[in-house]
Amino acid sequence: MKKASLLVLLAFCFAACNNKKNIPDISNSRVDLSVERFDEAFFGMDTMQVDKSLNEINQKFPELLPPFLQTIVGVTDTTGIKTFFRLYKPVFDSSQKLYRDFASVKRELKEAFSYVKYYFPSYKVPQKIIPIVGPMNSIEDMAKMANGDFTPNFIGPDFLGLSLQFYLGGNFSLYKNDYFINNVVPLYRSRRFAKEYIVADVMKLIADDIFPDKSNTRPLVEQMI
């Protein structure tokens, strides 16, 4: 029954933008959702005063900055931070052209989370959306879900992290680079690295969190069934 409800939830969320008929009344399932721009805080730092800037960022994002540096980026010293900043500042600048105004993404995610709350009232939906711009050197720069698939996003204690470097539009130049195609994701997959796929990707991640799919550990026949 739980799995059936999850499939219904996904169907409604994916179809909601195109079909407003015969969908549940979610007026009593509204959620409070804020957006906290970690990406802007990090790439707005003063690289001449890295320690001071990081202390200020850590005051705003104490739950995210340490794992971002140590686990996501994989740096522990000032030199590494400066190198990452220099290499990825152009990627951040490209993301700002699409996501400086985050209102439309927030609105769509808020509606999707309302459906989650409607079908799974006991599930704690994220209260904050935190955009980041992280590395994109390999498929391992994405988070791995229970079913073995990779997702650009991640769930924290009370927040959802959105990795904007993987949503810069299917024609973004770096996605067509040979190294990216061979070491990160193939071209057919990066065509979905666009704004219109954010909600669908987030819902897959939340569905995986609610009902982890571990079928990839089963024999092929069981997976097919």
Side-chain angles (χ1 to χ4, degrees):
M1 181 64 182
K2 185 176 181 182
K3 190 170 184 179
S5 297
L6 185 58
L7 293 174
V8 172
L9 163 66
L10 291 173
F12 274 126
C13 290
F14 294 156
C17 293
N18 299 319
N19 181 13
K20 295 297 183 180
K21 297 180 180 179
N22 300 320
I23 60 176
D25 179 7
I26 57 173
S27 58
N28 293 323
S29 301
R30 295 295 180 182
V31 299
D32 294 324
L33 188 64
S34 62
V35 176
E36 299 185 6
R37 300 299 299 260
F38 179 88
D39 57 332
E40 294 180 346
F42 185 87
F43 286 98
M45 79 162 68
D46 181 356
T47 54
M48 299 300 293
Q49 303 183 68
V50 171
D51 290 339
K52 179 176 181 294
S53 294
L54 290 180
N55 285 333
E56 293 173 351
I57 297 171
N58 193 55
Q59 290 178 14
K60 297 179 181 178
F61 301 95
E63 78 281 26
L64 182 57
L65 182 62
F68 176 78
L69 293 177
Q70 298 167 15
T71 304
I72 297 177
V73 179
V75 296
T76 57
D77 56 25
T78 300
T79 300
I81 292 170
K82 285 185 175 181
T83 299
F84 173 77
F85 184 99
R86 175 176 55 82
L87 292 175
Y88 280 88
K89 181 63 162 58
V91 179
F92 167 74
D93 291 341
S94 295
S95 74
Q96 282 291 86
K97 296 176 183 179
L98 297 172
Y99 300 107
R100 186 185 300 274
D101 182 354
F102 216 73
S104 62
V105 178
K106 176 185 175 181
R107 183 174 60 252
E108 292 175 7
L109 287 172
K110 187 174 182 179
E111 181 180 19
F113 291 169
S114 295
Y115 284 110
V116 175
K117 187 175 180 181
Y118 177 88
Y119 284 104
F120 300 94
S122 63
Y123 180 75
K124 186 179 179 181
V125 297
Q127 298 174 327
K128 296 179 289 187
I129 301 297
I130 303 184
I132 72 166
V133 170
M136 44 199 303
N137 299 316
S138 76
I139 189 65
E140 299 298 331
D141 288 325
M142 295 188 186
K144 197 170 186 178
M145 296 191 292
N147 65 359
D149 288 340
F150 288 89
T151 173
N153 311 308
F154 54 95
I155 295 177
D158 63 348
F159 68 87
L160 173 79
L162 286 180
S163 299
L164 298 185
Q165 73 272 20
F166 292 113
Y167 291 107
L168 299 179
N171 291 321
F172 185 58
S173 58
L174 284 180
Y175 299 161
K176 297 182 178 181
N177 179 273
D178 287 342
Y179 177 88
F180 189 89
I181 293 172
N182 294 323
N183 294 277
V184 187
V185 297
L187 190 60
Y188 77 88
R189 185 167 180 179
S190 66
R191 291 187 182 124
R192 292 175 57 90
F193 286 177
K195 187 175 184 179
E196 58 266 31
Y197 292 101
I198 289 179
V199 174
D201 285 350
V202 168
M203 292 309 299
K204 290 178 183 177
L205 178 60
I206 288 182
D208 187 72
D209 192 41
I210 295 174
F211 194 79
D213 179 5
K214 299 180 180 179
S215 62
N216 65 317
T217 63
R218 303 284 186 176
L220 179 59
V221 173
E222 291 187 32
Q223 292 185 44
M224 294 173 66
I225 295 174

